[in-house]
Amino acid sequence: MPARPIRALLLESVHPDAAELLTSAGMSVESVDRALDEDELIDRLDGVTVLGIRSKTQVSARVLAAASDLAAVGAFCIGTNQIDLRAASERGVAVFNAPFSNTRSVVELAISEIIALTRRLTVKNSLMHKGVWDKSADGAHEIRGRTLGIIGYGNIGSQLSVLAENLGMHVVFYDIVDKLALGNARRAQTMREVLEAADIVTVHVDGRDANANLFGAEEFDAMRPGSVFLNLSRGFVVDGAALAARITSRRLAGAALDVFEEEPAGRGDEFVSALRGMDNVILTPHVGGSTLEAQQDIGQFVAGKFRDYLTEGATSMSVNLPGITLPVTASPQRLLLIHRNVPGALATINRILAEQGVNIEAQLLGTRGTIGYVVTDVAPACSERTLDQFRGLPETIRLRTLS
Ligand code: NAD
């Protein structure tokens, strides 16, 4: 770490655990409880090495061009659309996020909704609030022994599979990629096979364009009569009108939706949907991953990525740079060089070191698109003249050293 503490700026009320972790790693941390606009952000980034944001602060190409000291940006959330990733890569700024921190929160919401819908809790609850005492078991089931169909067996789908089996459910899943079936879950060869087999179908696919309207009239009609449908993945995956029609006609027994084709821009704005007012439909405002536990985990996760990048040069799980983690050695100096991914870059770097009589003790190179990143432990440490040689290479984007 350098003599002067590295400065970190954390915006938008990032969880306090992040500041605590960065402070204990020797950084000086300033926390702000709101988003900053472009001009304000540029002013505040002078001398700042690490910037933490959530979803509202826009880290544009202009911001990145102005922030010459900035080495890393952390999105303390899942999405990174608010960051110009291409501009960040071109300037050698590492970007991190927290893709898994809210997985458990989504899974728990799905489990609660599976039970609520299978037990017709929402209908009973609605009647009770109207003063109707309808004590009957009609349409109410245990989830034990019922079949859960999972579409998309990624982080969320696979964890849901494990918890559902623990509750006594049978699990059948479909994923476009070969996935290891956990526990006794059965992998289906087609999505249709899942739709025809499941009492409950839950969607956990990613946001690729091809998933637009993955669920429309045809898919809902392939589901078993009286089955239940959940979507906690992306709104555009489901044709909301087709679903509403099958709920109204009682072809499906119920649904739970956390994400929508059209979501209101801000808190308090009206939510418009054909699914409003149906007592067997659970509607939640995109809160699948929103728990205090997830926020805390995000704070710790992204701050940990900052710490590892600044103290060791580790970029594992970076959103834009090649993921590299070179174990720390006893070498007197570590060179961290982000460079353009062109033929011969590594040979040039190693030739300069050899010419200066500097030995390579460990080295790791990774490339990603147009960017390369090479971490080299050397002995003895390079002279300032040698470092200037690296800085002057046409391939060099950014050089950092750790000693
Ligand atoms: P992931 O990338 O780990 O898993 C997605 C899986 O879906 C992958 O295994 C992929 O191969 C599979 N897939 C993609 N298209 C498919 C298709 N057409 N058919 C079958 N499988 C398909 O993602 P994750 O972390 O498990 O998240 C799943 C979804 O949940 C994402 O869309 C994510 O944005 C969303 N999410 C929502 C919330 C929320 O608040 N509701 C929170 C977190 C994540």
Side-chain angles (χ1 to χ4, degrees):
M1 298 288 277
R4 267 190 310 138
I6 287 175
R7 282 180 56 202
L9 176 65
L10 302 180
L11 307 179
E12 303 184 57
S13 302
V14 162
H15 194 280
D17 277 17
E20 203 178 305
L21 194 151
L22 296 180
T23 306
S24 66
M27 294 181 216
S28 131
V29 181
E30 190 188 351
S31 296
V32 176
D33 64 2
R34 60 188 173 87
L36 300 183
D37 68 26
E38 212 178 41
D39 289 333
E40 217 180 340
L41 183 57
I42 288 172
D43 281 351
R44 297 288 280 265
L45 282 178
D46 188 26
V48 166
T49 303
V50 164
L51 170 68
I53 58 166
R54 287 171 72 185
S55 56
K56 292 203 177 67
T57 303
Q58 300 295 313
V59 182
S60 62
R62 188 174 152 241
V63 169
L64 289 159
S68 55
D69 299 308
L70 197 61
V73 176
F76 284 75
C77 52
I78 315 297
T80 50
N81 292 345
Q82 70 283 37
I83 302 165
D84 189 327
L85 292 177
R86 181 198 286 247
S89 303
E90 281 166 3
R91 299 197 169 273
V93 175
V95 178
F96 298 98
N97 69 340
F100 316 126
S101 294
N102 62 11
T103 299
R104 175 71 187 210
S105 302
V106 179
V107 169
E108 288 195 12
L109 181 62
I111 292 277
S112 71
E113 292 175 337
I114 290 166
I115 296 175
L117 290 169
T118 305
R119 199 65 189 268
R120 292 181 65 75
L121 284 187
T122 53
V123 177
K124 298 281 181 212
N125 178 59
S126 163
L127 286 173
M128 286 293 276
H129 281 282
K130 290 178 191 141
V132 181
W133 184 265
D134 175 29
K135 183 173 161 53
S136 86
D138 284 352
H141 299 275
E142 293 181 349
I143 61 164
R144 177 175 55 164
R146 291 182 88 74
T147 300
L148 176 65
I150 300 175
I151 308 300
Y153 206 66
N155 298 311
I156 294 173
S158 58
Q159 190 171 149
L160 176 60
S161 168
V162 172
L163 291 197
E165 280 202 335
N166 279 319
L167 290 166
M169 300 189 82
H170 305 295
V171 174
V172 54
F173 72 89
Y174 172 68
D175 198 293
I176 47 175
V177 172
D178 274 344
K179 293 279 173 161
L180 174 70
L182 302 177
N184 295 317
R186 181 170 69 78
R187 179 165 189 232
Q189 295 308 311
T190 62
M191 187 164 99
R192 199 175 176 94
E193 197 183 322
V194 175
L195 305 186
E196 288 171 359
D199 301 299
I200 299 118
V201 171
T202 184
V203 186
H204 301 285
V205 298
D206 55 48
R208 69 187 72 197
D209 293 346
N211 283 338
N213 283 327
L214 183 66
F215 271 81
E218 202 180 311
E219 289 71 29
F220 289 124
D221 288 343
M223 287 173 61
R224 297 170 67 157
S227 57
V228 158
F229 177 79
L230 279 77
N231 181 23
L232 293 89
S233 63
R234 301 291 180 105
F236 73 91
V237 167
V238 172
D239 175 346
L243 175 61
R246 270 97 195 146
I247 297 283
T248 309
S249 69
R250 308 235 164 246
R251 174 74 173 66
L252 297 182
L257 300 155
D258 186 48
V259 288
F260 305 90
E261 295 156 288
E262 304 275 332
E263 294 187 4
R267 211 170 171 172
D269 291 352
E270 186 180 359
F271 165 66
V272 180
S273 167
L275 293 154
R276 264 173 51 177
M278 298 179 176
D279 60 7
N280 52 350
V281 176
I282 301 175
L283 300 173
T284 45
H286 205 146
V287 289
S290 305
T291 61
L292 297 179
E293 288 78 7
Q295 287 306 321
Q296 182 173 27
D297 202 79
I298 288 170
Q300 292 170 353
F301 187 89
V302 181
K305 293 288 161 201
F306 279 158
R307 178 200 54 208
D308 297 347
Y309 182 54
L310 292 173
T311 58
E312 297 174 17
T315 47
S316 73
M317 292 184 60
S318 167
V319 177
N320 64 329
L321 295 187
I324 289 218
T325 303
L326 182 66
V328 176
T329 65
S331 299
Q333 190 178 47
R334 173 166 282 195
L335 305 176
L336 310 166
L337 189 76
I338 300 170
H339 60 88
R340 281 172 241 298
N341 184 16
V342 291
L346 186 63
T348 306
I349 292 160
N350 290 352
R351 181 180 49 75
I352 292 173
L353 291 171
E355 283 171 2
Q356 300 303 322
V358 176
N359 188 40
I360 296 173
E361 304 213 315
Q363 188 171 54
L364 207 52
L365 165 80
T367 62
R368 185 168 182 171
T370 57
I371 304 294
Y373 179 45
V374 58
V375 179
T376 312
D377 284 350
V378 294
C382 293
S383 66
E384 216 27 65
R385 219 178 118 255
T386 308
L387 295 179
D388 279 342
Q389 254 183 294
F390 286 127
R391 290 189 188 104
L393 290 174
E395 298 89 337
T396 297
I397 295 175
R398 180 184 286 256
L399 173 71
R400 270 197 313 134
T401 60
L402 301 172
S403 43

